Amino acid sequence: MLDRKAKVKLTISILMISLPLLILLALRVGYSDLSYQEIVQILLGRGESTQRLILMSFRMPRIMIAILVGAAFAVSGCILQGLTKNPLADPAIMGVNAGGGLIVVLFMIGVGTLDFHSIFVMPIFSFVGSMVVVGLIYTLSQSKYKGMNPNRFILNGIALNAGINGLMMILVLKMDQDQHDFLARWQAGSIWGAHWDLVIAVLPWIVIGIGLAIIFSHQLDLLLLGDATSMTLGLNVKRAKRILLIIAASLAASAVSVSGSIAFVGLMAPHISRKLVGNRQMNLVITSALVGAILVLFADIIARFIVKPAELPTGIVVSIIGAPYFIYLLFKSK
């Protein structure tokens, strides 16, 4: 029998092997299917020019975006569930995604069309929007004597999420047809049309964010013991919570800026990971990132295949999977 550490290592290893295999499948399927032999030839610098264009300019950046946003939403949800001690916490449900999305919509109305420079600025604007929402939720959730109230944190997030989404619908009326079409795809959680500029724009945000989440995972372990116990062990509770909230917001915001709000990834991935590796936060963060990446990439493959030659937005496929899982969690938490 394997001990706990060996099981965790085996689980993470299996996930790390599964992800490249899924990438190969994602490279193969699409409007024009490619054989594995053709994929190998293209990766070796051979193959037809049309096939190289399909693989390197369309499918590869799309796969990278799917992996990055899946990992980002998953780790953001993992942090929020740990901070609130609530299994239903998710950046999409709590308004973190909506805050970033609102600023992106305002940014789109302001710039008209997205050029090379605006693509790189967009994650920053999205981060500002998410931080404003997180700051509001955090402030409104403070109790006079007990600090942040986790239940109030969730409820305030849900309320702000509803209000922001209503405001976004009003702003849609200010858009021209091209902006409206882009926003419709973006709100549905579509990674169609991903290109290397988007990958480069969000890559540092997400890599650094996940790295910081791993570094501060020990503090999240202490916070799960309760504020009083954490302070006894020497942790600055308010500072730790603020840092972790900033990390969660930055991850969700950077993902939202390129994919729209893909709901339920931040809810499902930490739950699945918790069943696989337990509650130690470092293991949970790493596993959540891998599970989230696999989940979004798998959903994108289904989105490309299920109504071929047309495509569904990836976010819709994730929601079809995630909505029943959310209902299951609600019944389980009774």
Side-chain angles (χ1 to χ4, degrees):
M1 291 291 290
L2 295 173
D3 61 18
R4 188 174 187 81
K5 285 186 178 179
K7 285 181 180 178
V8 170
K9 288 180 181 179
L10 179 62
T11 299
I12 292 174
S13 298
I14 291 171
L15 291 171
M16 291 181 73
I17 293 168
S18 300
L19 185 57
L21 293 175
L22 200 59
I23 289 171
L24 279 175
L25 179 61
L27 287 171
R28 187 177 184 277
V29 301
Y31 184 81
S32 299
D33 289 344
L34 298 172
S35 68
Y36 290 119
Q37 185 178 0
E38 287 171 331
I39 292 168
V40 171
Q41 290 296 316
I42 294 166
L43 293 176
L44 291 174
R46 304 166 193 161
E48 296 178 8
S49 58
T50 304
Q51 292 176 335
R52 285 201 303 271
L53 179 68
I54 291 170
L55 194 72
M56 303 307 295
S57 298
F58 296 110
R59 289 188 189 169
M60 282 293 286
R62 179 170 179 164
I63 289 166
M64 288 298 298
I65 289 293
I67 290 170
L68 288 170
V69 301
F73 282 133
V75 175
S76 179
C78 181
I79 293 170
L80 292 173
Q81 287 178 18
L83 283 174
T84 61
K85 299 174 189 174
N86 190 315
L88 302 179
D90 176 21
I93 296 169
M94 295 172 57
V96 181
N97 292 2
L102 176 62
I103 300 300
V104 169
V105 170
L106 290 170
F107 181 71
M108 285 171 54
I109 292 172
V111 300
T113 56
L114 294 176
D115 57 19
F116 178 80
H117 298 290
S118 60
I119 285 170
F120 284 85
V121 174
M122 199 159 58
I124 300 172
F125 279 89
S126 182
F127 172 68
V128 171
S130 291
M131 279 307 306
V132 169
V133 170
V134 167
L136 275 171
I137 297 170
Y138 183 79
T139 303
L140 294 170
S141 305
Q142 293 298 309
S143 174
K144 189 173 182 180
Y145 301 105
K146 296 182 180 180
M148 188 184 78
N149 184 306
N151 290 330
R152 195 183 296 174
F153 191 91
I154 295 284
L155 293 172
N156 285 331
I158 292 170
L160 279 172
N161 184 49
I164 292 169
N165 283 326
L167 183 58
M168 286 175 70
M169 295 305 295
I170 296 172
L171 290 172
V172 167
L173 302 175
K174 300 286 185 181
M175 292 184 164
D176 60 34
Q177 188 60 46
D178 290 338
Q179 289 175 325
H180 186 275
D181 291 344
F182 176 83
L183 181 65
R185 291 195 305 269
W186 182 83
Q187 283 185 313
S190 175
I191 55 176
W192 178 86
H195 49 81
W196 287 113
D197 288 345
L198 290 176
V199 175
I200 296 167
V202 298
L203 182 65
W205 286 81
I206 293 173
V207 170
I208 293 170
I210 292 174
L212 289 173
I214 293 170
I215 291 169
F216 285 92
S217 61
H218 176 63
Q219 296 192 9
L220 195 52
D221 278 320
L222 294 178
L223 288 170
L224 288 169
L225 299 174
D227 290 0
T229 305
S230 300
M231 285 188 283
T232 305
L233 294 170
L235 181 68
N236 185 329
V237 172
K238 283 189 176 181
R239 178 177 173 272
K241 286 182 177 179
R242 286 169 183 166
I243 290 172
L244 287 163
L245 281 172
I246 290 170
I247 295 170
S250 66
L251 284 168
S254 55
V256 164
S257 69
V258 295
S259 71
S261 182
I262 300 179
F264 297 116
V265 178
L267 178 74
M268 290 190 293
H271 273 277
I272 295 168
S273 302
R274 205 170 285 116
K275 290 179 179 179
L276 293 173
V277 298
N279 291 315
R280 186 168 181 242
Q281 293 300 306
M282 180 180 287
N283 297 332
L284 195 56
V285 167
I286 295 168
T287 309
S288 294
L290 289 167
V291 171
I294 289 170
L295 180 62
V296 174
L297 184 55
F298 180 67
D300 186 52
I301 292 170
I302 294 173
R304 285 189 251 169
F305 183 77
I306 196 167
V307 290
K308 193 176 176 180
E311 293 186 10
L312 287 174
T314 305
I316 290 177
V317 178
V318 175
S319 296
I320 290 170
I321 300 169
Y325 193 79
F326 182 70
I327 294 169
Y328 160 74
L329 289 176
L330 283 173
F331 276 104
K332 189 180 176 183
S333 62
K334 285 186 177 181

